[in-house]
């Protein structure tokens, strides 16, 4: 029973009331925008403090916006037609298909079989498997919880802390490697487009910008973490044997796996080249999902049972809707101008502002339990501040998107994949693990 937690609720509501009634509305800001800001901040506070499940709290925030006539019904629900939000929802269904058919397990186990003779080479095998899966499975959480954590848990328990740590940090890098590796990547570019930062071929531009730093990070991460905290067991001759036994239990490649590969293969091709055909990313995903449903790989019952997808649709649409309305009312632009003016008076130049805002954007994630919530709450504002300071548009938009993926390992609650990693064999009880993860995450940034 999801009863409201009174203290977190009181704090979340109080934050909004302070903004609305105790802090004077600046003369350059529309009072309606200031009122919406109070509701928005209160909603964000609730997502951090969790007085109710995030979907329920977001719904309450939306209701307050309507009761106070801050937003019209059409304005409040406008983001529910946002293409990127539906792309994120569909990505949950793709992830379910990977798990249901067992194809993700099969791919990961084959890499373990090939590379698993010692712990370090095993780590590189898992990283290669992650990089191979990520373009067609746009959910780092699903890849971790549905594929890699179960595979790692099947191996020697003494290798688990190291393998979990390197996999979590490496997954953050692979999510930045290609546009389709994480659903929030699409959202970042959509929000950037709303601020006038556009891309000709988004997939190609993203890949060119990300490939060198991400590949270097993927190569460096297992070795750096190996040096920071060596695994208890360095030789794992049993790992290929365990992988082979697991593959034998899976049996020959099933028809459903082949159809899964076909459906997702078509989707990825359309993601890469769909612009030339006038096919958007969400339409490509819809085509792929339709293929999986027509061939029986997924059923509508599977879609209905994917509660995380529908919950995300609810709370994320509320966040994005409020953020868009704040931008349309001019509040985001006003904040960006004020902050950039303050920073400009410090004679930092756009390079200094760029680095400072990235550091703040990264550090603030210690307060968030979701990367997508962080994007919905702050991406637009931080990008607007960078643009106002004179930062090149594409550089600012892409690096903020990369940053969004990289901070997914800073705490055990920083992202869905971090939660899976922390819960693996009670690793959340080991304080040294998160020191290791944060060190590894820093190493990925430096790489």
């Amino acid at each position: 029973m999801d009863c409201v937690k009174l203290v977190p609720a009181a704090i979340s509501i109080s934050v909004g009331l302070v903004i609305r009634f105790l802090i004077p509305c600046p003369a350059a800001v529309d009072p309606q925008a200031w009122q919406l800001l109070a509701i928005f901040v209160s909603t964000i506070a609730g997502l951090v403090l969790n007085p109710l499940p995030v979907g329920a709290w977001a719904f309450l925030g939306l209701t307050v916006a309507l009761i106070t006539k801050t937003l019209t019904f059409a304005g409040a629900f406008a983001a529910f037609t946002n293409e990127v939000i539906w792309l994120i929802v569909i990505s949950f269904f793709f992830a379910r298909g990977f798990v249901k058919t067992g194809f993700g397990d099969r791919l990961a186990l084959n890499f373990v079989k090939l590379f698993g003779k010692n712990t370090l080479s095993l780590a590189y095998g898992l990283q290669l498997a992650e990089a191979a899966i990520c373009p067609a499975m746009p959910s780092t959480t699903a890849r971790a919880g549905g594929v890699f954590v179960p595979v790692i848990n099947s191996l020697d328990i003494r290798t688990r802390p190291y393998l979990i740590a390197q996999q979590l940090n490496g997954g953050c890098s692979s999510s930045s490697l290609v546009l389709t590796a994480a659903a929030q990547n699409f959202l970042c570019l959509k929000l950037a487009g709303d601020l006038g930062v556009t891309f000709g071929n988004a997939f190609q531009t993203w890949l060119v910008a990300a490939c060198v730093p991400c590949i270097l990070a993927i190569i460096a991460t297992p070795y750096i973490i190996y040096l920071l905290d060596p695994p208890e067991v360095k030789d794992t001759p049993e790992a290929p044997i365990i992988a082979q036994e697991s593959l034998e239990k899976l049996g020959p490649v099933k028809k459903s796996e082949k159809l899964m590969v076909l459906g997702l293969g078509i989707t990825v091709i359309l993601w890469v080249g769909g612009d030339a055909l006038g096919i958007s990313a969400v339409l490509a995903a819809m085509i792929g999902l339709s293929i999986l449903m027509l061939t029986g790989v997924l059923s509508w019952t599977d879609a209905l049972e994917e509660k995380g997808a529908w919950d995300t649709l609810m709370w994320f649409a509320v966040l994005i809707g409020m953020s868009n309305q704040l931008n349309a009312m001019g509040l985001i632009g006003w904040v960006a101008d004020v902050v950039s003016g303050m920073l400009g008076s410090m004679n930092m130049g756009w390079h200094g502002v760029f680095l400072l805002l990235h550091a703040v954007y990264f550090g603030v994630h210690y307060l968030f339990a979701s990367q997508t919530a962080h994007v919905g709450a702050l991406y637009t504002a931080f990008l607007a501040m960078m643009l106002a300071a004179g930062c090149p548009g594409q550089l600012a938009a892409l690096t903020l998107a990369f940053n969004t993926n990289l901070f997914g390992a800073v705490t055990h609650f920083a992202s869905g994949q971090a939660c899976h990693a922390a819960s693996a064999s009670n690793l959340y009880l080991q304080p040294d693990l998160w020191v290791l993860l944060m060190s590894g995450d820093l190493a990925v940034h430096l790489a």
Side-chain angles (χ1 to χ4, degrees), residues 71-247:
L71 293 177
T72 64
F73 189 87
F77 283 86
F80 282 83
T81 62
N82 185 297
E83 291 187 2
V84 176
I85 293 174
W86 281 100
L87 178 63
I88 293 172
V89 170
I90 294 173
S91 75
F92 278 86
F93 304 147
F94 285 159
R96 189 180 184 93
F98 265 99
V99 175
K100 180 181 178 180
T101 62
F103 178 73
D105 287 342
R106 186 183 300 279
L107 185 61
L109 288 169
N110 272 297
F111 276 97
V112 172
K113 178 183 174 182
L114 289 172
F115 294 92
K117 292 183 180 180
N118 62 68
T119 309
L120 185 59
S121 66
L122 176 57
Y124 279 107
L126 291 170
Q127 290 294 340
L128 286 172
E130 165 80 25
I133 292 176
C134 73
M137 194 174 186
S139 170
T140 317
T141 301
R143 295 197 299 271
V147 178
F148 292 104
V149 168
V151 168
I152 291 171
N153 279 345
S154 70
L155 303 174
D156 191 326
I157 191 172
R158 294 171 295 177
T159 66
R160 216 168 286 173
Y162 165 71
L163 291 176
I164 287 288
Q166 66 83 32
Q167 193 66 32
L168 177 57
N169 281 278
C172 293
S173 298
S174 61
S175 292
S176 299
L177 179 59
V178 291
L179 176 62
T180 60
Q184 65 261 23
N185 295 346
F186 289 99
L187 178 62
C188 289
L189 294 197
K190 174 64 169 61
L191 295 175
D194 292 340
L195 292 180
V197 181
T198 58
F199 299 85
N201 184 319
F203 188 94
Q204 180 180 342
T205 304
W206 183 291
L207 182 60
V208 170
C211 62
V212 173
C214 286
I215 291 173
L216 288 175
I218 290 170
I219 293 172
T221 297
Y223 185 67
I224 291 173
I225 296 180
Y226 190 89
L227 295 177
L228 289 171
D229 188 20
E232 186 178 343
V233 175
K234 294 183 173 60
D235 294 316
T236 55
E238 76 287 347
I241 299 172
I242 294 172
Q244 179 60 38
E245 291 173 351
S246 298
L247 286 168

Side-chain angles (χ1 to χ4, degrees), residues 181-350:
Q184 65 261 23
N185 295 346
F186 289 99
L187 178 62
C188 289
L189 294 197
K190 174 64 169 61
L191 295 175
D194 292 340
L195 292 180
V197 181
T198 58
F199 299 85
N201 184 319
F203 188 94
Q204 180 180 342
T205 304
W206 183 291
L207 182 60
V208 170
C211 62
V212 173
C214 286
I215 291 173
L216 288 175
I218 290 170
I219 293 172
T221 297
Y223 185 67
I224 291 173
I225 296 180
Y226 190 89
L227 295 177
L228 289 171
D229 188 20
E232 186 178 343
V233 175
K234 294 183 173 60
D235 294 316
T236 55
E238 76 287 347
I241 299 172
I242 294 172
Q244 179 60 38
E245 291 173 351
S246 298
L247 286 168
E248 289 174 358
K249 289 179 183 178
L250 286 175
V253 177
K254 301 185 293 291
K255 180 182 177 182
S256 61
E257 293 178 71
K258 296 177 181 178
L259 292 172
M260 183 76 196
V261 173
L262 174 64
L264 285 180
I266 292 173
T267 303
V268 172
I269 291 172
L270 292 176
W271 275 337
V272 175
D275 286 343
L277 302 174
I279 297 176
S280 65
V282 68
L283 179 56
M286 291 172 67
I287 292 171
L289 180 60
S290 297
I291 292 172
L292 297 183
M293 287 187 170
L294 287 170
T295 56
V297 175
L298 288 173
S299 66
W300 186 242
T301 300
D302 289 325
L304 292 176
E305 290 177 350
E306 196 61 40
K307 295 180 181 179
W310 305 112
D311 185 53
T312 299
L313 172 65
M314 180 65 228
W315 67 261
F316 205 34
V318 171
L319 274 189
I320 297 304
M322 289 186 182
S323 179
N324 287 344
Q325 290 295 327
L326 287 171
N327 189 37
M329 293 176 181
L331 184 72
I332 300 294
W334 174 80
V335 171
D337 289 339
V338 170
V339 174
S340 62
M342 293 171 58
L343 294 174
S345 66
M346 300 167 63
N347 296 318
M348 298 179 65
W350 74 261

